[in-house]
Structure formats: C-alpha cells, structure tokens
Amino acid sequence: MTASTTVVESSRPGDEAAVTGLITPRVRRQHQRPLVLTISIRGLSVLGVFVAWWLIARHVANPSKLPTPLEVYHNYGYLFSHEDLWGNLGDSLQRSLKGLIIGGSIGFALGALSGLTALGEESVDIPMQLLRFTPFLALIPLFITWFGLGEKPKIILLSIACATPIYLNTANAMRHVDRKTLEASRSFGLSGLRLIREVTLPLSLPGILTGLRFSMAISVLGLVAAEQINANSGIGAMLFNASGNFDTPTVFCCVVVYMLIGVCFDLIVALISALALRWRAGVAAR
Amino acid sequence: MTTTESSSMNSSSSPLAVRLQGVRRSFGDFVALGGVDLDMREGEFVALVGKSGSGKTTLLRILAGLDSPDVGTVLVPQRRTVVFQEPRLIPSKKVWRNVVLGLPRSAENRAAARKALEVVGLSHRENVWPATLSGGEAQRVALARALVRQPKLLLLDEPFAALDALTRRQMQTLIGELIENFQPATLIVTHDVEEAILLADRIILLREGHFAHEVTVDIPRPRRVGGAVFDELRLSLLQELGVDE
C-alpha cells in the first residue's frame, strides 16, 4: 500500500480527482418509502380530482350541465329515499357477480385449455378472438327476441363480456410460464393436474389476476348495456334513464357509485394478491 | 505462504484502480463485510475466494456500484463492467445488440461488437436470439459485452460456475488471454482455488466478512494446473478455507 494521496469520503462522483480519476459509484438504492408519504400522495391525487372538478363546475361550465361535487352529494339523499339506490345497487351487483362467475369460469377454463395445450389453442383461440370483437351493444335487440325481457339476457350478455379478458390473460400467462422451471418440475416427476396446480397455476396467477381485474370492470360497466333491457331496476338502468332525461346530478351519482364499486373490486384483487403472491416479494423490479 | 512481489506487470508503481477503506455492509443482523480495505492497481488480477456467505459477492456488488457500504470509502474507475454468474442477456435483443447494450448506436460500436464476438469465438452467432445459445456461448457473449466497453475494472462474479468442466477450462484460458491484452484491473469472485491460482496475481481469502489471508501468486504465465509451486499454494489455500483433502 504505497499510495500517499489522502482520500476524502464523499458520495458525489468527481470529487476525488486526487486519486487518479477514481470515483465513488452512485448506487441506485431501493428506498423503503414511508407509508405516511405513500398514503398522503395517493390521497392528494384523489383530492386533486375533486378540486379540479369543483373549479371547473364553479367557474367554467354551465351549472345545469355540470353539477358541483356538493350538489352531487346532496342528490344522494334524494336517490336513497326516492329511487331506492340500495335496492338497485343490490340488483346490479347480483347480476354482475353472476356474469363474472359464469363468464369468468368459462373464460378461465378455455384460457387454461388454450394456454396449456397446442390442441386447445388450435380449437378455441380463434372463436374466442372473434367473440372478443363482437359488438354486443348492437345485439341487444336480438338478445331480447332470443331470451326475453327477464334476467336471462342480462346475465348472458355480462357472462360473454366477462369471459374474454380472463380467457386472454389466462392463456397468455400459462403459455409464458418459465420453460426451465417447468422442465425442472417435470424432471422431478410432477405432471398433469399436479404440475398445473403446484407450478403452472401459481406462476401464471399474476397474469390471471390482471384478466380478473379487466373482467370485474366489464361486469359492472356492462350493466349499462345489459340493464337497458326492460330498464326497471339496477344502477345501470338508473344511469341509462338519468342520462336520457339529462338528469346530470344523478348521472354523476351513478358514475361515482361505479367508481366506488371499482375501488372495492380492486381491494378484493389486492387481497387475493397479498395472500397468493407472497413469493413475488423481491422478484418485481420495483 | 510467502508473500512475494509479483513478477507480472502490476508493479506497485502502476496507478491505483480501486481503493476501498473501512468498508462495512450488513443485512439486518448479518454482517456481510466487517471493515475491509483493498487497493488494486491497473492491470492487476485479484481473486477473491471464500465459502458461501463470506461476503465475496457483496464486495463485488459494492465495487460494481450495485450496492453501497454502510460506512467506508469506495473509489473505483468510471468504466467498469460485470460478468455475472448467469449470462443475464436481454432475451429480446439479438446477440450483437446485447453486446452493445447501453452504448450509442453507431457503426463503430457495431464493428466493436463484431470484433468482441470474434474475440470470444462467436462471430457466427451474432445475429441469433440469446435463447438459442448454449450456456457456455451465452456466458461468452456476456464476456464480450463486458469487454467491448474496454473497462478499467472488470468484475467477474463466479462467471464459470454454471459451466461444464471443459467449457470452464476454455473460458479460463480465454479470460487469461483477454486480460493480458486489454489490461483492466480484474477482480474475480470464485469458489474454485485452482481457478484462482490459474488466473490471479493476488489471492485474497475472505472469511466472515474479513480478509483472512492474502497470497501473491508467483507462477509465470501461461499457467497450467499442477507443478510443485501450484500444488503447495493450492494446499495452503484449501487449508485456510478449512477443507481437508
């Protein structure tokens, strides 16, 4: 150790020219973000939306065309007492849940079939892709003539709409499970359903959950279309009717209800992820 | 073991390429490095040996700038490159694009990539996807990627660990030649005592986060496994590592 230069401790590159152009590397560190900060920023972003809404409603837009947040809030009182918002919400959630379960199961099963086997992909993929681009809104009158005015056409419509996102994401996720991991598992004697249950399914779950989130959204957004059929109950029917009557406060109320449903659905998926994807900690890039 | 001045060109008059002073790093309660000093000179080849968990990889990651010490000074050249245990090629880029990863797109760099691949004997594979390479080929691409930048400090993290014995021997010879030509300061982390003796000017033995032993390898190059000096050195290192033969 013959170097005679003194070294100044520093974290900035370029400061140590004394030692023949050597630098202290700048390290990209994973910072543990304080929870308070994370929650505040998320909260502020929501608050920002409401403030922007309020400012536009108050100063830019025509009051009859865009209600302020406060007017929308007051409108809820009316909707709860006169329009049975709770009852409508219950009807709607029941329908979307049925659609989600029926369509989701079918989509998942077909997706698994297509993702796991070449024969499966060859036989179901093209029909599913065609289904994905079918304009269902335009088919509503036909649905009525085929299935009547009751619950049936609504559930069928929602089921078909919910099936494709789960199908697409499941098939894709299962097709792209790491080949080497599968090979290793097979070499240890895993095969068939056991291989799927213990390796393929867990590893493709992130993708499947992405599909589930899309399907969940479609299951409630599809209500607007489905509940046009004999529009007498449901949040989608409420929205459809209010929109036709230019009842803007009610339209906004319904939109906010939709958003809250979306938040609840996302919480459900987050819960599933937290329970089922614990192995992923430390795998993600961020 | 006697610590003699090395006969190779890393005389103590060469400029400093690495300086670590009092480097400590712990993960929770586990102390990976407990205050380490290291000076390396340009052109010097240092091998870091030690058991699993002795802090070898932590030290390499700190030199690479992938991790920073809790305390201590780290001084390294601006241009440094790493060859990891696994090739870590980008699967979505053709081989030659992997070699120039992060470099500006230019005809010179394209030519440099071609040359680097030629040096590691993979000219014929420059336009294929990484997924089609064998393990040894992929690791040679990783080596070409590290060399094309003409690093002042080359860091090798058990680069041959996943290779078969034959490929490993070829790679060791290749690395020895390349480093003789390019003259970066090189630090290799390895479990393999023979590999360390074959390649390094200086071998440092790491034990529980401290430098436990240091020897200068005074065997003329090109080296081959065997011979009295080699065997003596190998035995003493294995004893230091606590391995009985």
Side-chain angles (χ1 to χ4, degrees), chain B residues 73-115:
Chain B
T73 309
V74 180
L75 292 175
V76 291
Q78 182 76 260
R79 273 213 311 276
R80 22 179 226 286
T81 54
V82 190
V83 178
F84 296 97
Q85 259 183 61
E86 337 79 61
R88 299 203 188 182
L89 303 178
I90 313 296
S92 55
K93 288 177 184 287
K94 292 275 178 75
V95 161
W96 76 268
R97 288 202 185 274
N98 263 286
V99 173
V100 292
L101 185 71
L103 295 176
R105 287 194 177 191
S106 67
E108 291 105 82
N109 283 334
R110 176 80 177 91
R114 196 169 278 150
K115 185 140 174 273

mmCIF file of all heavy atoms in Angstrom, chain B residues 73-115:
data_model
loop_
_atom_site.group_PDB
_atom_site.id
_atom_site.type_symbol
_atom_site.label_atom_id
_atom_site.label_comp_id
_atom_site.label_asym_id
_atom_site.label_seq_id
_atom_site.Cartn_x
_atom_site.Cartn_y
_atom_site.Cartn_z
ATOM 1 N N THR B 73 -15.070 4.084 2.447
ATOM 2 C CA THR B 73 -14.791 4.777 1.198
ATOM 3 C C THR B 73 -14.718 3.768 0.058
ATOM 4 O O THR B 73 -14.123 2.712 0.203
ATOM 5 C CB THR B 73 -13.431 5.487 1.293
ATOM 6 O OG1 THR B 73 -13.425 6.262 2.491
ATOM 7 C CG2 THR B 73 -13.201 6.381 0.099
ATOM 8 N N VAL B 74 -15.359 4.112 -1.045
ATOM 9 C CA VAL B 74 -15.280 3.283 -2.245
ATOM 10 C C VAL B 74 -14.805 4.157 -3.387
ATOM 11 O O VAL B 74 -15.475 5.129 -3.740
ATOM 12 C CB VAL B 74 -16.640 2.677 -2.613
ATOM 13 C CG1 VAL B 74 -16.509 1.824 -3.867
ATOM 14 C CG2 VAL B 74 -17.209 1.863 -1.480
ATOM 15 N N LEU B 75 -13.665 3.850 -3.943
ATOM 16 C CA LEU B 75 -13.185 4.585 -5.111
ATOM 17 C C LEU B 75 -12.908 3.588 -6.228
ATOM 18 O O LEU B 75 -12.129 2.653 -6.053
ATOM 19 C CB LEU B 75 -11.917 5.362 -4.775
ATOM 20 C CG LEU B 75 -12.114 6.532 -3.806
ATOM 21 C CD1 LEU B 75 -10.780 7.148 -3.441
ATOM 22 C CD2 LEU B 75 -13.034 7.582 -4.416
ATOM 23 N N VAL B 76 -13.585 3.772 -7.352
ATOM 24 C CA VAL B 76 -13.443 2.844 -8.479
ATOM 25 C C VAL B 76 -13.376 3.650 -9.766
ATOM 26 O O VAL B 76 -13.756 4.821 -9.782
ATOM 27 C CB VAL B 76 -14.631 1.865 -8.553
ATOM 28 C CG1 VAL B 76 -14.625 0.895 -7.398
ATOM 29 C CG2 VAL B 76 -15.940 2.620 -8.622
ATOM 30 N N PRO B 77 -12.901 3.052 -10.857
ATOM 31 C CA PRO B 77 -12.902 3.771 -12.128
ATOM 32 C C PRO B 77 -14.324 3.988 -12.630
ATOM 33 O O PRO B 77 -15.240 3.245 -12.269
ATOM 34 C CB PRO B 77 -12.153 2.835 -13.085
ATOM 35 C CG PRO B 77 -11.536 1.797 -12.238
ATOM 36 C CD PRO B 77 -12.300 1.720 -10.983
ATOM 37 N N GLN B 78 -14.485 4.993 -13.475
ATOM 38 C CA GLN B 78 -15.786 5.261 -14.089
ATOM 39 C C GLN B 78 -16.227 4.079 -14.951
ATOM 40 O O GLN B 78 -17.376 3.651 -14.885
ATOM 41 C CB GLN B 78 -15.665 6.526 -14.952
ATOM 42 C CG GLN B 78 -16.938 6.974 -15.618
ATOM 43 C CD GLN B 78 -17.866 7.652 -14.619
ATOM 44 O OE1 GLN B 78 -18.793 7.055 -14.120
ATOM 45 N NE2 GLN B 78 -17.592 8.905 -14.326
ATOM 46 N N ARG B 79 -15.310 3.568 -15.759
ATOM 47 C CA ARG B 79 -15.649 2.478 -16.678
ATOM 48 C C ARG B 79 -15.408 1.127 -16.020
ATOM 49 O O ARG B 79 -14.271 0.689 -15.874
ATOM 50 C CB ARG B 79 -14.805 2.581 -17.948
ATOM 51 C CG ARG B 79 -15.374 3.468 -19.015
ATOM 52 C CD ARG B 79 -15.039 2.990 -20.423
ATOM 53 N NE ARG B 79 -13.646 2.676 -20.638
ATOM 54 C CZ ARG B 79 -12.714 3.566 -20.951
ATOM 55 N NH1 ARG B 79 -13.018 4.832 -21.047
ATOM 56 N NH2 ARG B 79 -11.472 3.173 -21.164
ATOM 57 N N ARG B 80 -16.498 0.501 -15.574
ATOM 58 C CA ARG B 80 -16.340 -0.847 -15.002
ATOM 59 C C ARG B 80 -17.473 -1.711 -15.507
ATOM 60 O O ARG B 80 -18.575 -1.233 -15.775
ATOM 61 C CB ARG B 80 -16.354 -0.804 -13.478
ATOM 62 C CG ARG B 80 -17.011 0.399 -12.895
ATOM 63 C CD ARG B 80 -17.029 0.405 -11.422
ATOM 64 N NE ARG B 80 -18.376 0.778 -11.055
ATOM 65 C CZ ARG B 80 -18.848 2.014 -11.170
ATOM 66 N NH1 ARG B 80 -18.058 2.985 -11.596
ATOM 67 N NH2 ARG B 80 -20.083 2.282 -10.865
ATOM 68 N N THR B 81 -17.167 -2.985 -15.671
ATOM 69 C CA THR B 81 -18.188 -3.891 -16.185
ATOM 70 C C THR B 81 -18.197 -5.170 -15.366
ATOM 71 O O THR B 81 -17.229 -5.497 -14.699
ATOM 72 C CB THR B 81 -17.934 -4.251 -17.663
ATOM 73 O OG1 THR B 81 -16.613 -4.745 -17.786
ATOM 74 C CG2 THR B 81 -18.119 -3.059 -18.573
ATOM 75 N N VAL B 82 -19.342 -5.852 -15.424
ATOM 76 C CA VAL B 82 -19.531 -7.049 -14.609
ATOM 77 C C VAL B 82 -19.921 -8.223 -15.498
ATOM 78 O O VAL B 82 -20.717 -8.071 -16.420
ATOM 79 C CB VAL B 82 -20.666 -6.838 -13.582
ATOM 80 C CG1 VAL B 82 -20.695 -7.991 -12.584
ATOM 81 C CG2 VAL B 82 -20.510 -5.514 -12.857
ATOM 82 N N VAL B 83 -19.353 -9.374 -15.211
ATOM 83 C CA VAL B 83 -19.886 -10.622 -15.754
ATOM 84 C C VAL B 83 -20.485 -11.371 -14.568
ATOM 85 O O VAL B 83 -19.777 -11.687 -13.610
ATOM 86 C CB VAL B 83 -18.801 -11.475 -16.427
ATOM 87 C CG1 VAL B 83 -19.391 -12.784 -16.941
ATOM 88 C CG2 VAL B 83 -18.156 -10.702 -17.570
ATOM 89 N N PHE B 84 -21.783 -11.590 -14.632
ATOM 90 C CA PHE B 84 -22.466 -12.210 -13.504
ATOM 91 C C PHE B 84 -22.360 -13.731 -13.581
ATOM 92 O O PHE B 84 -21.884 -14.295 -14.563
ATOM 93 C CB PHE B 84 -23.944 -11.803 -13.493
ATOM 94 C CG PHE B 84 -24.161 -10.341 -13.275
ATOM 95 C CD1 PHE B 84 -24.361 -9.476 -14.343
ATOM 96 C CD2 PHE B 84 -24.181 -9.812 -11.995
ATOM 97 C CE1 PHE B 84 -24.567 -8.129 -14.138
ATOM 98 C CE2 PHE B 84 -24.385 -8.462 -11.783
ATOM 99 C CZ PHE B 84 -24.577 -7.629 -12.861
ATOM 100 N N GLN B 85 -22.888 -14.363 -12.530
ATOM 101 C CA GLN B 85 -22.895 -15.833 -12.506
ATOM 102 C C GLN B 85 -23.675 -16.405 -13.674
ATOM 103 O O GLN B 85 -23.289 -17.390 -14.272
ATOM 104 C CB GLN B 85 -23.525 -16.312 -11.210
ATOM 105 C CG GLN B 85 -22.518 -16.753 -10.190
ATOM 106 C CD GLN B 85 -23.194 -17.281 -8.953
ATOM 107 O OE1 GLN B 85 -23.924 -18.253 -9.019
ATOM 108 N NE2 GLN B 85 -22.949 -16.643 -7.840
ATOM 109 N N GLU B 86 -24.834 -15.790 -13.945
ATOM 110 C CA GLU B 86 -25.629 -16.191 -15.097
ATOM 111 C C GLU B 86 -25.386 -15.145 -16.176
ATOM 112 O O GLU B 86 -24.998 -14.021 -15.876
ATOM 113 C CB GLU B 86 -27.124 -16.222 -14.783
ATOM 114 C CG GLU B 86 -27.497 -16.394 -13.333
ATOM 115 C CD GLU B 86 -27.371 -15.091 -12.568
ATOM 116 O OE1 GLU B 86 -28.061 -14.130 -12.914
ATOM 117 O OE2 GLU B 86 -26.573 -15.027 -11.625
ATOM 118 N N PRO B 87 -25.612 -15.479 -17.440
ATOM 119 C CA PRO B 87 -25.279 -14.533 -18.516
ATOM 120 C C PRO B 87 -26.043 -13.202 -18.431
ATOM 121 O O PRO B 87 -25.499 -12.159 -18.759
ATOM 122 C CB PRO B 87 -25.661 -15.296 -19.782
ATOM 123 C CG PRO B 87 -25.653 -16.729 -19.393
ATOM 124 C CD PRO B 87 -26.045 -16.786 -17.951
ATOM 125 N N ARG B 88 -27.306 -13.263 -17.976
ATOM 126 C CA ARG B 88 -28.133 -12.049 -17.892
ATOM 127 C C ARG B 88 -28.177 -11.290 -19.212
ATOM 128 O O ARG B 88 -27.994 -10.069 -19.261
ATOM 129 C CB ARG B 88 -27.639 -11.109 -16.794
ATOM 130 C CG ARG B 88 -27.684 -11.733 -15.419
ATOM 131 C CD ARG B 88 -27.728 -10.690 -14.339
ATOM 132 N NE ARG B 88 -27.583 -11.285 -13.019
ATOM 133 C CZ ARG B 88 -27.619 -10.633 -11.885
ATOM 134 N NH1 ARG B 88 -27.797 -9.335 -11.898
ATOM 135 N NH2 ARG B 88 -27.497 -11.241 -10.737
ATOM 136 N N LEU B 89 -28.372 -12.024 -20.307
ATOM 137 C CA LEU B 89 -28.566 -11.353 -21.591
ATOM 138 C C LEU B 89 -30.019 -10.923 -21.698
ATOM 139 O O LEU B 89 -30.897 -11.524 -21.085
ATOM 140 C CB LEU B 89 -28.214 -12.307 -22.740
ATOM 141 C CG LEU B 89 -26.799 -12.879 -22.705
ATOM 142 C CD1 LEU B 89 -26.595 -13.846 -23.857
ATOM 143 C CD2 LEU B 89 -25.756 -11.786 -22.745
ATOM 144 N N ILE B 90 -30.269 -9.879 -22.489
ATOM 145 C CA ILE B 90 -31.638 -9.436 -22.684
ATOM 146 C C ILE B 90 -32.268 -10.339 -23.744
ATOM 147 O O ILE B 90 -31.823 -10.317 -24.898
ATOM 148 C CB ILE B 90 -31.693 -7.969 -23.165
ATOM 149 C CG1 ILE B 90 -30.774 -7.081 -22.332
ATOM 150 C CG2 ILE B 90 -33.119 -7.443 -23.177
ATOM 151 C CD1 ILE B 90 -31.118 -6.955 -20.894
ATOM 152 N N PRO B 91 -33.272 -11.132 -23.383
ATOM 153 C CA PRO B 91 -33.778 -12.131 -24.334
ATOM 154 C C PRO B 91 -34.392 -11.517 -25.584
ATOM 155 O O PRO B 91 -34.482 -12.177 -26.611
ATOM 156 C CB PRO B 91 -34.824 -12.911 -23.542
ATOM 157 C CG PRO B 91 -35.042 -12.180 -22.279
ATOM 158 C CD PRO B 91 -33.938 -11.196 -22.084
ATOM 159 N N SER B 92 -34.791 -10.249 -25.496
ATOM 160 C CA SER B 92 -35.473 -9.635 -26.633
ATOM 161 C C SER B 92 -34.516 -8.914 -27.582
ATOM 162 O O SER B 92 -34.942 -8.236 -28.500
ATOM 163 C CB SER B 92 -36.529 -8.652 -26.132
ATOM 164 O OG SER B 92 -35.928 -7.720 -25.267
ATOM 165 N N LYS B 93 -33.220 -9.029 -27.336
ATOM 166 C CA LYS B 93 -32.247 -8.412 -28.233
ATOM 167 C C LYS B 93 -31.362 -9.487 -28.842
ATOM 168 O O LYS B 93 -30.927 -10.397 -28.147
ATOM 169 C CB LYS B 93 -31.367 -7.415 -27.461
ATOM 170 C CG LYS B 93 -32.060 -6.143 -27.047
ATOM 171 C CD LYS B 93 -31.094 -5.296 -26.225
ATOM 172 C CE LYS B 93 -31.737 -4.046 -25.693
ATOM 173 N NZ LYS B 93 -31.968 -3.025 -26.716
ATOM 174 N N LYS B 94 -31.064 -9.342 -30.130
ATOM 175 C CA LYS B 94 -30.147 -10.260 -30.782
ATOM 176 C C LYS B 94 -28.782 -10.188 -30.093
ATOM 177 O O LYS B 94 -28.468 -9.205 -29.432
ATOM 178 C CB LYS B 94 -29.993 -9.877 -32.263
ATOM 179 C CG LYS B 94 -31.262 -10.094 -33.097
ATOM 180 C CD LYS B 94 -31.363 -11.522 -33.587
ATOM 181 C CE LYS B 94 -32.628 -11.800 -34.371
ATOM 182 N NZ LYS B 94 -32.645 -11.249 -35.731
ATOM 183 N N VAL B 95 -27.988 -11.229 -30.295
ATOM 184 C CA VAL B 95 -26.718 -11.339 -29.592
ATOM 185 C C VAL B 95 -25.864 -10.070 -29.693
ATOM 186 O O VAL B 95 -25.411 -9.524 -28.691
ATOM 187 C CB VAL B 95 -25.941 -12.571 -30.095
ATOM 188 C CG1 VAL B 95 -24.474 -12.477 -29.743
ATOM 189 C CG2 VAL B 95 -26.533 -13.841 -29.499
ATOM 190 N N TRP B 96 -25.675 -9.569 -30.922
ATOM 191 C CA TRP B 96 -24.756 -8.428 -31.056
ATOM 192 C C TRP B 96 -25.328 -7.178 -30.394
ATOM 193 O O TRP B 96 -24.596 -6.352 -29.858
ATOM 194 C CB TRP B 96 -24.383 -8.176 -32.515
ATOM 195 C CG TRP B 96 -25.434 -7.500 -33.346
ATOM 196 C CD1 TRP B 96 -26.390 -8.120 -34.092
ATOM 197 C CD2 TRP B 96 -25.618 -6.097 -33.516
ATOM 198 N NE1 TRP B 96 -27.166 -7.186 -34.714
ATOM 199 C CE2 TRP B 96 -26.728 -5.935 -34.386
ATOM 200 C CE3 TRP B 96 -24.969 -4.968 -33.025
ATOM 201 C CZ2 TRP B 96 -27.198 -4.686 -34.757
ATOM 202 C CZ3 TRP B 96 -25.435 -3.710 -33.408
ATOM 203 C CH2 TRP B 96 -26.533 -3.582 -34.266
ATOM 204 N N ARG B 97 -26.651 -7.058 -30.355
ATOM 205 C CA ARG B 97 -27.245 -5.910 -29.676
ATOM 206 C C ARG B 97 -27.078 -6.018 -28.165
ATOM 207 O O ARG B 97 -26.995 -5.014 -27.457
ATOM 208 C CB ARG B 97 -28.720 -5.775 -30.025
ATOM 209 C CG ARG B 97 -28.938 -5.286 -31.444
ATOM 210 C CD ARG B 97 -30.329 -4.667 -31.585
ATOM 211 N NE ARG B 97 -30.603 -4.305 -32.959
ATOM 212 C CZ ARG B 97 -30.238 -3.139 -33.505
ATOM 213 N NH1 ARG B 97 -29.584 -2.240 -32.785
ATOM 214 N NH2 ARG B 97 -30.526 -2.890 -34.761
ATOM 215 N N ASN B 98 -27.029 -7.250 -27.671
ATOM 216 C CA ASN B 98 -26.723 -7.443 -26.264
ATOM 217 C C ASN B 98 -25.317 -6.964 -25.943
ATOM 218 O O ASN B 98 -25.071 -6.423 -24.873
ATOM 219 C CB ASN B 98 -26.859 -8.916 -25.887
ATOM 220 C CG ASN B 98 -28.198 -9.229 -25.259
ATOM 221 O OD1 ASN B 98 -28.433 -8.870 -24.109
ATOM 222 N ND2 ASN B 98 -29.069 -9.867 -26.010
ATOM 223 N N VAL B 99 -24.413 -7.196 -26.895
ATOM 224 C CA VAL B 99 -23.023 -6.814 -26.656
ATOM 225 C C VAL B 99 -22.893 -5.294 -26.560
ATOM 226 O O VAL B 99 -22.155 -4.782 -25.726
ATOM 227 C CB VAL B 99 -22.119 -7.382 -27.765
ATOM 228 C CG1 VAL B 99 -20.703 -6.848 -27.630
ATOM 229 C CG2 VAL B 99 -22.113 -8.894 -27.705
ATOM 230 N N VAL B 100 -23.670 -4.561 -27.357
ATOM 231 C CA VAL B 100 -23.551 -3.097 -27.324
ATOM 232 C C VAL B 100 -24.646 -2.476 -26.456
ATOM 233 O O VAL B 100 -24.931 -1.283 -26.561
ATOM 234 C CB VAL B 100 -23.599 -2.484 -28.740
ATOM 235 C CG1 VAL B 100 -22.368 -2.860 -29.516
ATOM 236 C CG2 VAL B 100 -24.849 -2.922 -29.480
ATOM 237 N N LEU B 101 -25.209 -3.269 -25.579
ATOM 238 C CA LEU B 101 -26.268 -2.789 -24.694
ATOM 239 C C LEU B 101 -25.860 -1.497 -23.987
ATOM 240 O O LEU B 101 -24.825 -1.442 -23.336
ATOM 241 C CB LEU B 101 -26.546 -3.869 -23.638
ATOM 242 C CG LEU B 101 -27.700 -3.622 -22.679
ATOM 243 C CD1 LEU B 101 -29.019 -3.761 -23.409
ATOM 244 C CD2 LEU B 101 -27.642 -4.607 -21.522
ATOM 245 N N GLY B 102 -26.675 -0.468 -24.164
ATOM 246 C CA GLY B 102 -26.401 0.784 -23.467
ATOM 247 C C GLY B 102 -25.406 1.690 -24.162
ATOM 248 O O GLY B 102 -25.222 2.831 -23.741
ATOM 249 N N LEU B 103 -24.771 1.202 -25.210
ATOM 250 C CA LEU B 103 -23.854 2.071 -25.960
ATOM 251 C C LEU B 103 -24.635 2.785 -27.051
ATOM 252 O O LEU B 103 -25.665 2.291 -27.506
ATOM 253 C CB LEU B 103 -22.745 1.230 -26.605
ATOM 254 C CG LEU B 103 -21.786 0.503 -25.669
ATOM 255 C CD1 LEU B 103 -20.824 -0.355 -26.471
ATOM 256 C CD2 LEU B 103 -21.023 1.488 -24.815
ATOM 257 N N PRO B 104 -24.162 3.954 -27.461
ATOM 258 C CA PRO B 104 -24.866 4.650 -28.543
ATOM 259 C C PRO B 104 -24.846 3.816 -29.821
ATOM 260 O O PRO B 104 -23.892 3.076 -30.066
ATOM 261 C CB PRO B 104 -24.062 5.942 -28.737
ATOM 262 C CG PRO B 104 -22.938 5.909 -27.791
ATOM 263 C CD PRO B 104 -23.019 4.696 -26.939
ATOM 264 N N ARG B 105 -25.923 3.927 -30.605
ATOM 265 C CA ARG B 105 -25.977 3.172 -31.868
ATOM 266 C C ARG B 105 -25.091 3.844 -32.896
ATOM 267 O O ARG B 105 -25.356 4.962 -33.305
ATOM 268 C CB ARG B 105 -27.412 3.126 -32.386
ATOM 269 C CG ARG B 105 -28.267 2.204 -31.579
ATOM 270 C CD ARG B 105 -29.550 1.893 -32.258
ATOM 271 N NE ARG B 105 -30.279 0.932 -31.441
ATOM 272 C CZ ARG B 105 -31.357 0.280 -31.857
ATOM 273 N NH1 ARG B 105 -31.820 0.497 -33.056
ATOM 274 N NH2 ARG B 105 -31.958 -0.569 -31.064
ATOM 275 N N SER B 106 -24.032 3.166 -33.268
ATOM 276 C CA SER B 106 -23.159 3.750 -34.282
ATOM 277 C C SER B 106 -22.448 2.623 -34.998
ATOM 278 O O SER B 106 -22.394 1.497 -34.517
ATOM 279 C CB SER B 106 -22.135 4.673 -33.621
ATOM 280 O OG SER B 106 -21.247 3.922 -32.836
ATOM 281 N N ALA B 107 -21.897 2.989 -36.159
ATOM 282 C CA ALA B 107 -21.183 1.987 -36.951
ATOM 283 C C ALA B 107 -19.971 1.479 -36.188
ATOM 284 O O ALA B 107 -19.643 0.299 -36.245
ATOM 285 C CB ALA B 107 -20.764 2.602 -38.281
ATOM 286 N N GLU B 108 -19.312 2.380 -35.440
ATOM 287 C CA GLU B 108 -18.126 1.959 -34.685
ATOM 288 C C GLU B 108 -18.502 0.910 -33.651
ATOM 289 O O GLU B 108 -17.818 -0.109 -33.500
ATOM 290 C CB GLU B 108 -17.471 3.138 -33.950
ATOM 291 C CG GLU B 108 -16.811 4.164 -34.835
ATOM 292 C CD GLU B 108 -17.654 5.420 -34.912
ATOM 293 O OE1 GLU B 108 -17.558 6.248 -33.994
ATOM 294 O OE2 GLU B 108 -18.432 5.549 -35.870
ATOM 295 N N ASN B 109 -19.595 1.180 -32.924
ATOM 296 C CA ASN B 109 -19.984 0.228 -31.894
ATOM 297 C C ASN B 109 -20.421 -1.102 -32.492
ATOM 298 O O ASN B 109 -20.173 -2.156 -31.919
ATOM 299 C CB ASN B 109 -21.086 0.817 -31.013
ATOM 300 C CG ASN B 109 -20.521 1.823 -30.028
ATOM 301 O OD1 ASN B 109 -19.367 1.750 -29.659
ATOM 302 N ND2 ASN B 109 -21.343 2.778 -29.634
ATOM 303 N N ARG B 110 -21.077 -1.018 -33.635
ATOM 304 C CA ARG B 110 -21.449 -2.246 -34.338
ATOM 305 C C ARG B 110 -20.196 -3.055 -34.677
ATOM 306 O O ARG B 110 -20.135 -4.261 -34.461
ATOM 307 C CB ARG B 110 -22.212 -1.876 -35.611
ATOM 308 C CG ARG B 110 -22.578 -3.050 -36.494
ATOM 309 C CD ARG B 110 -23.815 -3.741 -35.949
ATOM 310 N NE ARG B 110 -24.247 -4.838 -36.807
ATOM 311 C CZ ARG B 110 -23.837 -6.094 -36.666
ATOM 312 N NH1 ARG B 110 -22.949 -6.410 -35.735
ATOM 313 N NH2 ARG B 110 -24.305 -7.043 -37.458
ATOM 314 N N ALA B 111 -19.190 -2.339 -35.158
ATOM 315 C CA ALA B 111 -17.936 -3.007 -35.509
ATOM 316 C C ALA B 111 -17.260 -3.545 -34.257
ATOM 317 O O ALA B 111 -16.703 -4.656 -34.260
ATOM 318 C CB ALA B 111 -17.018 -2.030 -36.233
ATOM 319 N N ALA B 112 -17.322 -2.763 -33.183
ATOM 320 C CA ALA B 112 -16.703 -3.200 -31.929
ATOM 321 C C ALA B 112 -17.372 -4.466 -31.416
ATOM 322 O O ALA B 112 -16.701 -5.381 -30.914
ATOM 323 C CB ALA B 112 -16.810 -2.089 -30.885
ATOM 324 N N ALA B 113 -18.700 -4.525 -31.573
ATOM 325 C CA ALA B 113 -19.439 -5.714 -31.139
ATOM 326 C C ALA B 113 -18.981 -6.917 -31.943
ATOM 327 O O ALA B 113 -18.731 -8.001 -31.396
ATOM 328 C CB ALA B 113 -20.935 -5.497 -31.309
ATOM 329 N N ARG B 114 -18.853 -6.713 -33.245
ATOM 330 C CA ARG B 114 -18.441 -7.798 -34.121
ATOM 331 C C ARG B 114 -17.068 -8.321 -33.705
ATOM 332 O O ARG B 114 -16.828 -9.518 -33.614
ATOM 333 C CB ARG B 114 -18.408 -7.284 -35.567
ATOM 334 C CG ARG B 114 -18.364 -8.377 -36.603
ATOM 335 C CD ARG B 114 -18.612 -7.822 -37.986
ATOM 336 N NE ARG B 114 -20.015 -7.635 -38.280
ATOM 337 C CZ ARG B 114 -20.489 -6.690 -39.092
ATOM 338 N NH1 ARG B 114 -19.669 -5.837 -39.646
ATOM 339 N NH2 ARG B 114 -21.770 -6.604 -39.327
ATOM 340 N N LYS B 115 -16.187 -7.359 -33.395
ATOM 341 C CA LYS B 115 -14.828 -7.729 -33.014
ATOM 342 C C LYS B 115 -14.824 -8.469 -31.674
ATOM 343 O O LYS B 115 -14.161 -9.493 -31.519
ATOM 344 C CB LYS B 115 -13.981 -6.452 -32.925
ATOM 345 C CG LYS B 115 -12.544 -6.719 -32.660
ATOM 346 C CD LYS B 115 -11.636 -5.791 -33.465
ATOM 347 C CE LYS B 115 -10.177 -6.000 -33.065
ATOM 348 N NZ LYS B 115 -9.793 -5.162 -31.919
#
